[in-house]
Amino acid sequence: MATKGPMQDPSVDPVIDPMIDPRTGEYAVIAPGHNFKSVTQKIAGIVLTSNTPLGWFFGLIVAAGVTMGLVVGCTWLFLKGVGIWGVTIPGAWGFAIINFVWWIGIGHAGTLISAILLLFKQTWRNSINRFAEAMTIFAVVCAGTFPLIHVGRPWLAYWLFPYPNTMNVWPQFRSPLAWDVFAVSTYASISIIFWYIGMIPDFGTLRDRATMPAAKYFYGMLSLGWRGSTRHWIRYESASLLLAGLSTPLVLSVHTVISFDFAVAALAGWHTTIFPPYFVAGAVYSGFAMVLTLAIPIRKFYHMEDLVTLRHLDNMAKVMLATGSIVAYGYGMEVFMAWFSASHWEFFMMWNRMFGPMGWAYWILILTNIAIPLTTLWSRKLRVNVTFLFILSLIVNTGMWFERFVIVVTSLYREYLPSSWGTYRATKWDYMIYVGTMGLFTFLFFLFVRFLPMIPMSEIRMMLPQTKVTRGVDAETATEETA
């Protein structure tokens, strides 16, 4: 994904922006002037510094305060039961399932960046893959909260696992809700292992550079005796490729299984074969939007503009444009099939979704998921406009939440029999728990950027021009020429 800047003739006009290669006109992946030492100092200094920025403490305290909403909401839920939520019959699925699907979708970009782009040897991923993987894990933590509290008796949630027991009670393996348990747990396990394996070389660097005994011991224990030997690097590269190969199918399978929660039900608006690819594309779409939401403030606060460059932001915007187009196709197919199927129920569902009492939610998702992003991301100037991308990322994630709201609520509250129609109104406890998971996600992310290397030092060093030695030229000469 080559990202070109303003075209200039280097023989006539000197290139003012050092981030643009005068020979190709493309934005650089790493700013010029870096060497092995500067990269290590810049990334490791954030973790090993004894002067933690006051802004970090402020953000952590605010995130912890918001997380208390989750604690209070869940405590009251366990005391009083799910009756405190807005779920009723026929709208028995509410915020819990909506938020579960939304959070799982957000985590997909991390797996795609770390696994699929690694297999395709897309080196621009190196600057963003570490915190994208962290985002995946923290999003899965938030997502896993909702099925646990949605079952009504969370202390019996272990019944979902097929463990030997004297009651001979087994999960209903034909239920997609049981499939979710295996899909999400596998996804979380592989993501954590992949994330940790990728940090081992950096843990070795932090161990060697740390001055405090506690930090030396902590990072030394996590580094697993890493010495940077040839044998270690061979095993590290092999493990990374194997885990990338295991993770790649998960990008497709996990949200496909999540879509089966709806697609296998004989309900208008859910029973459709477009859901698996539609859900996967939507997950990647919202996931990359969240990566932009996190990457843009981080690069500004920690002055990482030379490592997370406009090339990265533009490439992520292009991925959003591609996946957003697939999502738009899914919306169009839903409308087309509601008409083409000649089913009274499908036609009424779509009419009610657009013009019924909750039609406002449908048009919000059309505006935020299609109208705004897909008409602006074609512009290269807007794709490299940092402020615009940050605002757009918030808009897209809002739209993807409304997509899940529309799928869950508008298909349930008016089903086959008018006598059983109802409505859905979320309560303050629904909102409190949902916002609380945002606080939990932000709290975990603040801890991550402070105590773990948010950008992989080892992979960034491999991208420096000093490492690119051509055959027939000795290393010292090549270093001088490419530095």
Side-chain angles (χ1 to χ4, degrees), residues 171-184:
Q172 174 54 275
F173 290 109
R174 290 178 294 180
S175 169
L177 299 180
W179 306 344
D180 287 349
V181 175
F182 296 98
V184 175

Side-chain angles (χ1 to χ4, degrees), residues 155-187:
W155 49 90
L156 299 179
Y158 66 92
W159 284 8
L160 292 169
F161 293 93
Y163 71 99
N165 59 86
T166 57
M167 297 181 292
N168 289 324
V169 176
W170 295 90
Q172 174 54 275
F173 290 109
R174 290 178 294 180
S175 169
L177 299 180
W179 306 344
D180 287 349
V181 175
F182 296 98
V184 175
S185 59
T186 303
Y187 185 49

Side-chain angles (χ1 to χ4, degrees), residues 307-331:
L307 297 179
V308 182
T309 67
L310 293 179
R311 177 80 166 269
H312 300 94
L313 302 185
D314 185 59
N315 285 349
M316 287 190 283
K318 289 178 182 177
V319 175
M320 287 179 60
L321 179 61
T323 52
S325 300
I326 298 173
V327 170
Y329 173 79
Y331 294 161

